[in-house]
Amino acid sequence: MDVPELLRRAACHVPAAVKGEAGTTVADANEYLGHDEWEIALDILVELGDAYSSEVAFWDLLAEAARMLWFSRTERWCHWRRFEVVHGVVRADLQLVDPGVAGGRRIPVPGDGRLRPLWDIGDVTAAGDPDLYVARLWVEAQPDLQPGGRAVVRLAPLSPQRWRRLVPGDVISMHEQRPVAGIATIVQSVFPVDDDHEA
């Protein structure tokens, strides 16, 4: 299947009434497709996918189109959104500790989901120590997060079921070694009714 066909199939998933942040609709995406403006059509469809309850198949089609166009960050985002469709959305306001403090990063946090830090979400081991869980991190609206910086991030937990109790206002901590590397306040936590299945 070629890129235009992948994008056309993805467009079929989007309800006509859905509008992106810029007011674009699936009709706009189809118009750009008609003019072989694949990159613009892909960008519109990705934006529309965040504006309605999109499905796994939609993100799979866009991820494959992005891969074929060599848009690696867009491909990673489509895979990320697919994960969220299946397992839920966890967003948090993250403040990294100062780089001069123990645990502070001296290099930026990559913003495209490659970093897999540990998180203290309040659970403890039988010995009474914090029970830390792995969750990938995506920085919203910027390519990375500078040392000591602050941003809204999305988290993709390795064990999503353990995070289901988190609600907006809960505070969790990020760890890359023993000292705290950042403090995050949950701003959104939305989970599917049943996330026990794998898609």
Side-chain angles (χ1 to χ4, degrees):
M1 198 178 320
D2 61 11
V3 170
E5 180 61 21
L6 288 164
L7 295 176
R8 280 190 206 95
R9 289 191 181 194
C12 290
H13 288 263
V14 183
V18 172
K19 290 189 178 182
E21 284 185 19
T24 53
T25 66
V26 70
D28 298 309
N30 284 323
E31 184 175 342
Y32 280 108
L33 271 173
H35 296 292
D36 292 331
E37 296 283 353
W38 304 340
E39 181 177 356
I40 298 172
L42 173 60
D43 287 344
I44 291 172
L45 289 170
V46 167
E47 183 181 319
L48 292 173
D50 292 331
Y52 82 104
S53 297
S54 49
E55 303 166 344
V56 165
F58 173 80
W59 292 110
D60 285 342
L61 290 164
L62 293 187
E64 179 61 12
R67 184 193 67 77
M68 293 175 75
L69 291 168
W70 297 88
F71 299 151
S72 60
R73 188 176 174 91
T74 301
E75 180 186 0
R76 291 179 74 81
W77 176 245
C78 293
H79 287 302
W80 186 279
R81 290 292 289 120
R82 181 195 196 281
F83 177 92
E84 289 183 334
V85 168
V86 175
H87 298 291
V89 176
V90 179
R91 297 172 64 240
D93 182 358
L94 173 64
Q95 174 66 61
L96 296 179
V97 300
D98 189 85
V101 174
R105 287 184 66 92
R106 290 181 170 76
I107 60 172
V109 170
D112 62 356
R114 287 178 285 157
L115 188 68
R116 297 169 179 255
L118 295 169
W119 297 88
D120 180 351
I121 64 171
D123 291 348
V124 294
T125 66
D129 298 318
D131 201 359
L132 304 179
Y133 303 113
V134 174
R136 291 182 297 129
L137 183 154
W138 189 286
V139 181
E140 290 190 356
Q142 53 196 70
D144 54 33
L145 179 55
Q146 294 299 312
R150 181 178 178 180
V152 174
V153 299
R154 299 173 93 103
L155 304 175
L158 196 60
S159 49
Q161 68 281 3
R162 296 185 184 275
W163 295 62
R164 291 179 76 95
R165 64 178 169 74
L166 295 179
V167 296
D170 285 346
V171 176
I172 62 177
S173 59
M174 175 180 137
H175 299 259
E176 294 188 86
Q177 39 193 317
R178 184 173 294 272
V180 172
I183 299 293
T185 303
I186 302 297
V187 296
Q188 182 185 18
S189 57
V190 179
F191 298 97
V193 174
D194 174 23
D195 73 347
D196 293 331
H197 66 285
E198 294 293 332

